[in-house]
Amino acid sequence: MIRVQEATKIYRVPVPSEGRFAGIRNLFHMNYTDRTVVDHISFDIRDGESVCYIGPNGAGKSTTVKMLSGILMPTSGSVSVNGLDPCRNRKENARNIGVVFGQKTSLWWDVPVIDSYRLLKEMYGISDAAFRKNLELFCDLLEMESFLNSPVRQLSLGQRMRADLAAALLHDPEILFLDEPTIGVDIVAKARIREFISELNSTRGITVMVTTHDMADMEKIVDRVIVIDKGKIYYDGTVAAMKAKYGKKRRIDLTFTEEDPEISIPGLTEISSSPFSRSFSFHTDELTAEQTIAKLTALPLHITDISVQQTDIEEIVRDIYLQSGRTEK
């Protein structure tokens, strides 16, 4: 189990002097200010659970993953992974976890992928049988056979991400941390990576924690979402519950045989129009979809098509960010 209790991470950031001879003054005396990146956050992740940890840039996602993987120590509070302090028990923790950072590879740049795997086999003390079994499985699920003998520097981004995923799982970890695993990856590679993660979570019971900006990752990989912004957690629950709580806006699209019909219904807000089509939004606390359609069809309109759409997940997450006090979009 992963347990985070009131964890805080504060960085000391240098503040250079300005003005004449500032460079010389900075050599002898530098002022500092504290920047809180993670601010007293708490959450538990059960064994076998898959969780998406999302937030805008600078929210504290990667810092949290680095504290859980033992790279960083919290300034205050505590984190534990399978009962271990990740920093104080770094070697034991490393044997229990697999980590993939989307913008950094854990493989050796100038050697073939298979040679990197053989090095990892020796580092983790993986048996020959387990190594062969995992390698065959990952080559099959991630379709890596074609580039297994290629140097890492020659791989495309999608190929490298698949190779990194396999590397993180060769030693059969109980927990997998994924930091932006599909960043910059093409659509085909993204689908393959998502299917692979879901397969491992369901068949092997691996606990998965994913940080991402890609909302499709969230919907296809996990059931639970933790939203962090400015170092604080603003939502922790299931995807379905998040949609029910924040996704109450609906969009209705209409097409007509007549040009520019007049439509005025309380609770219905126009968001776009063209000569033979109009789009409106409404809130389900004020109008249900059935009531909206009934009111529209009662008007003297020549409607040829009606389409009602739910709020997409990206808009829901954006609304959560805005409610947290973030003003930029």
Side-chain angles (χ1 to χ4, degrees):
M1 186 205 311
I2 297 169
R3 171 157 289 176
V4 178
Q5 295 180 306
E6 293 293 314
T8 299
K9 184 62 182 177
I10 301 173
Y11 291 119
R12 290 190 73 207
V13 181
V15 182
S17 300
E18 296 182 358
R20 196 175 184 186
F21 305 118
I24 297 173
R25 288 199 301 273
N26 290 332
L27 286 174
F28 297 97
H29 177 74
M30 179 67 75
N31 295 315
Y32 292 88
T33 185
D34 289 340
R35 183 163 66 92
T36 302
V37 181
V38 173
D39 191 1
H40 296 89
I41 64 169
S42 299
F43 60 84
D44 291 342
I45 298 177
R46 300 185 307 274
D47 292 341
E49 196 171 8
S50 58
V51 177
C52 202
Y53 195 53
I54 64 173
N57 289 329
K61 305 185 302 296
S62 295
T63 299
T64 305
V65 172
K66 287 175 181 176
M67 289 192 292
L68 291 169
S69 56
I71 297 171
L72 294 175
M73 179 177 285
T75 306
S76 64
S78 65
V79 298
S80 68
V81 179
N82 281 346
L84 298 172
D85 182 309
C87 277
R88 291 187 172 87
N89 307 101
R90 189 166 296 176
K91 287 186 178 180
E92 295 91 333
N93 186 60
R95 292 186 178 279
N96 292 332
I97 67 172
V99 184
V100 176
F101 290 102
Q103 300 182 37
K104 296 179 182 178
T105 183
S106 60
L107 303 173
W108 284 263
W109 196 246
D110 291 311
V111 302
V113 174
I114 187 62
D115 288 346
S116 287
Y117 290 169
R118 291 186 181 116
L119 284 168
L120 290 170
K121 173 182 180 294
E122 298 305 318
M123 289 171 60
Y124 283 100
I126 304 169
S127 69
D128 292 342
F131 180 76
R132 283 195 302 271
K133 177 184 175 184
N134 283 337
L135 190 59
E136 288 174 6
L137 175 65
F138 300 155
C139 281
D140 180 43
L141 292 177
L142 291 170
E143 298 182 12
M144 300 194 307
E145 194 70 43
S146 62
F147 57 84
L148 205 56
N149 291 297
S150 300
V152 174
R153 58 182 166 78
Q154 293 181 0
L155 304 184
S156 69
L157 182 57
Q159 290 173 332
R160 183 177 66 74
M161 286 307 307
R162 283 181 274 158
D164 272 319
L165 259 177
L169 293 160
L170 278 174
H171 61 290
D172 290 318
E174 298 174 13
I175 298 168
L176 181 61
F177 295 116
L178 302 170
D179 189 27
E180 301 287 355
T182 61
I183 187 168
V185 176
D186 65 60
I187 294 173
V188 175
K190 278 184 181 182
R192 192 172 289 122
I193 289 169
R194 289 169 186 153
E195 290 169 5
F196 177 70
I197 295 167
S198 298
E199 176 77 12
L200 287 178
N201 176 248
S202 60
T203 58
R204 292 194 175 189
I206 292 177
T207 305
V208 178
M209 183 176 181
V210 187
T211 77
T212 185
H213 284 294
D214 192 325
M215 296 302 103
D217 287 349
M218 184 182 77
E219 289 195 282
K220 296 185 187 310
I221 295 174
V222 305
D223 296 318
R224 178 183 167 193
V225 183
I226 300 174
V227 179
I228 185 173
D229 191 13
K230 292 178 283 191
K232 293 181 178 289
I233 289 175
Y234 286 90
Y235 178 81
D236 184 354
T238 65
V239 177
M242 183 170 72
K243 286 182 175 180
K245 182 176 181 179
Y246 295 99
K248 294 187 176 182
K249 272 201 266 184
R250 297 289 185 273
R251 174 189 173 118
I252 187 164
D253 299 314
L254 308 170
T255 56
F256 313 95
T257 56
E258 293 184 348
E259 191 171 339
D260 291 326
E262 291 295 327
I263 299 175
S264 179
I265 296 175
L268 211 58
T269 304
E270 185 174 277
I271 54 178
S272 68
S273 67
S274 65
F276 295 96
S277 66
R278 307 281 279 282
S279 295
F280 299 86
S281 67
F282 61 95
H283 201 284
T284 55
D285 285 343
E286 300 174 7
L287 285 172
T288 66
E290 291 79 9
Q291 289 171 334
T292 303
I293 292 171
K295 288 177 181 290
L296 286 167
T297 53
L299 296 174
L301 303 171
H302 295 81
I303 299 173
T304 58
D305 188 51
I306 297 178
S307 172
V308 179
Q309 301 174 37
Q310 292 187 336
T311 309
D312 64 46
I313 198 71
E314 288 192 13
E315 187 173 347
I316 292 171
V317 172
R318 185 169 63 248
D319 287 344
I320 296 174
Y321 295 164
L322 293 174
Q323 288 180 32
S324 75
R326 180 173 289 269
T327 57
E328 66 268 25
K329 295 185 181 181

